[in-house]
Amino acid sequence: MTAPITEGPATDQLPVLVVGAGPVGLAAAAHLVERGIEPLVLEAGPSAGTAVRDWAHVRLFSPWSEVTDPAAEKLLAPTGWVRPDGATYPTGGDWAEQYLQPLADVLGDRVRYGTRVTGVARAGRDRLVDSGRDEQPFTVHVQRADGGEERVIARAVIDASGTWSTPSPMGANGLPALGEKAAAERISYRVPDLRDPALRARYAGRRTAVVGSGASAFTALAYLADLAKEEDGTHAVWILRRGIGAGTYGGGEADQLPARGALGLRAKAAVEDGHASAVTGFRTQTVEHDGDRLVLVSEDGRGLDPVDEVIALTGFRPDLSFLSEVRLGLDERLQAPTALAPLIDPNVHSCGTVYPHGVTELAHPEQGVYLVGMKSYGRAPTFLAMTGYEQVRSITAAIAGDHEAAQRVELTLPETGVCGGAGLFDEPDAAQSGEGGGCCGAAPATLEIGIGAPTTSGGC
């Protein structure tokens, strides 16, 4: 089926297309409905929160009170839905089954599954053409699960597709380490669910390298430490590009998200109890084979003792390929919207709060296109679900013409109470000295991505 480009409804009568039926995409749809604007949510997977379900076993470090959207709750209320206890912490599976799927069900036919967006453009205009560009609606090319193709016409596009599908490689320069692709059968880019007998057998009694320094790495270390208590011979080798210092394990007891602080303390215990050993100042360059085992080699030529498995948790990055025909304004470092990047850049903001933001910071040269949720943060590992809900509240207000509401800030974010990141993030000695870059003050506060996004997915 192909929607007509001409002789169709006026642009303001067309739906707003939302890419992705995750937490932020569904929140965007709920806000659009509240504003009397018809959304159309296209989800590549078979259900709501497909990416979230991939880490169903991981518990969020934000409680229920911080991972549901107000407009979504209003839409759900007539069905008898009641938010779970706001003080409890859902797993990814809980989030998907008890909130995201019911929300998608209420939206009904406004959500289409098995539909992958493959391209976005102005109708009849590639990115080179200026003439009449802003007056044209968007034409969105999609591919169905059965292989068929369609074209959908929309008044605006809100891309909430996240970054889950594009994990960053192990190589310290942002490219795959030499030999990384050839060793793919022994490398995972996700936090393993060790309740799964097959995955448990993969890591039990074995030596596993965990590459990364964020919440997902903490989670993997904690899980492997628990396994080590039950299965002799299980050991984790934690590979860090920097040294270990006061901020290595996050905010600890000073973190305003207590579960996030507790997660870092569990990772610290894994090392102190001997279930994990830390290798610092190690920047992976090559993956070599030693029989059936792998040897990681750093840029300075150091080779680690062989390991059986590798879990690479070095972050995620946005897939911008299907947006190549629209004009995006992206920061050259983070691949985040230009106005947002200075607020979240870990090269500058080692300790500053990531302030709530909305349509102004998320605007692009191409009017009517917005990247939201994890995707809006590009490669910055600092996202919380509450941030995404505020983003789409502001954007949908702007689409509706309510500019006062679009500019209003309706969110206060928690702080960690600890420095982390900075331009010296990869320097081995930086963490030891407690140095940071940029804006550290007397009461440092860094927002980090939730463990639900190993590191990341929808954030939490």
Side-chain angles (χ1 to χ4, degrees), residues 300-341:
D300 60 10
R302 268 191 298 162
L304 299 183
D305 290 339
V307 297
D308 299 290
E309 299 286 343
V310 177
I311 302 174
L313 301 168
T314 52
F316 291 78
R317 55 188 60 179
D319 175 9
L320 302 168
S321 60
F322 62 86
L323 298 171
S324 62
E325 293 306 317
V326 293
R327 300 171 177 180
L328 302 180
L330 298 175
D331 178 76
E332 64 273 15
R333 294 180 298 276
L334 299 186
Q335 294 178 296
T338 305
L340 174 61

Side-chain angles (χ1 to χ4, degrees), residues 305-398:
D305 290 339
V307 297
D308 299 290
E309 299 286 343
V310 177
I311 302 174
L313 301 168
T314 52
F316 291 78
R317 55 188 60 179
D319 175 9
L320 302 168
S321 60
F322 62 86
L323 298 171
S324 62
E325 293 306 317
V326 293
R327 300 171 177 180
L328 302 180
L330 298 175
D331 178 76
E332 64 273 15
R333 294 180 298 276
L334 299 186
Q335 294 178 296
T338 305
L340 174 61
L343 303 180
I344 62 176
D345 189 348
N347 290 292
V348 177
H349 292 278
S350 63
C351 309
T353 296
V354 178
Y355 296 102
H357 51 275
V359 67
T360 299
E361 293 82 4
L362 297 169
H364 292 279
E366 192 79 69
Q367 297 179 27
V369 172
Y370 305 96
L371 310 185
V372 299
M374 267 304 306
K375 191 159 187 178
S376 71
Y377 270 44
R379 300 193 184 194
T382 51
F383 186 76
L384 293 169
M386 293 184 294
T387 301
Y389 298 156
E390 174 67 4
Q391 289 177 341
V392 296
R393 183 206 61 78
S394 174
I395 287 170
T396 54

Side-chain angles (χ1 to χ4, degrees), residues 127-218:
R127 66 182 297 151
L128 295 176
V129 178
D130 290 335
S131 177
R133 186 176 193 85
D134 290 344
E135 289 74 42
Q136 295 300 314
F138 292 95
T139 177
V140 181
H141 288 220
V142 302
Q143 184 173 41
R144 300 190 307 269
D146 64 5
E149 295 181 302
E150 297 181 28
R151 184 174 57 193
V152 178
I153 306 302
R155 63 185 287 188
V157 175
I158 298 175
D159 182 0
S161 60
T163 57
W164 180 251
S165 64
T166 48
S168 294
M170 195 178 355
N173 60 2
L175 300 174
L178 298 180
E180 181 173 348
K181 293 180 179 179
E185 290 185 357
R186 295 294 182 90
I187 302 174
S188 171
Y189 299 88
R190 306 286 191 258
V191 175
D193 182 359
L194 297 182
R195 301 170 304 176
D196 182 322
L199 285 176
R200 184 181 180 89
R202 177 174 176 175
Y203 297 102
R206 298 193 174 191
R207 180 177 168 89
T208 299
V210 177
V211 186
S213 59
S216 289
F218 293 169

Side-chain angles (χ1 to χ4, degrees), residues 100 333 398 448:
L100 298 178
R333 294 180 298 276
E448 301 175 0

Side-chain angles (χ1 to χ4, degrees), residues 393-417:
R393 183 206 61 78
S394 174
I395 287 170
T396 54
I399 292 173
D402 187 349
H403 301 294
E404 187 277 328
Q407 296 299 321
R408 189 169 61 238
V409 173
E410 297 184 2
L411 174 64
T412 301
L413 291 171
E415 301 175 352
T416 65

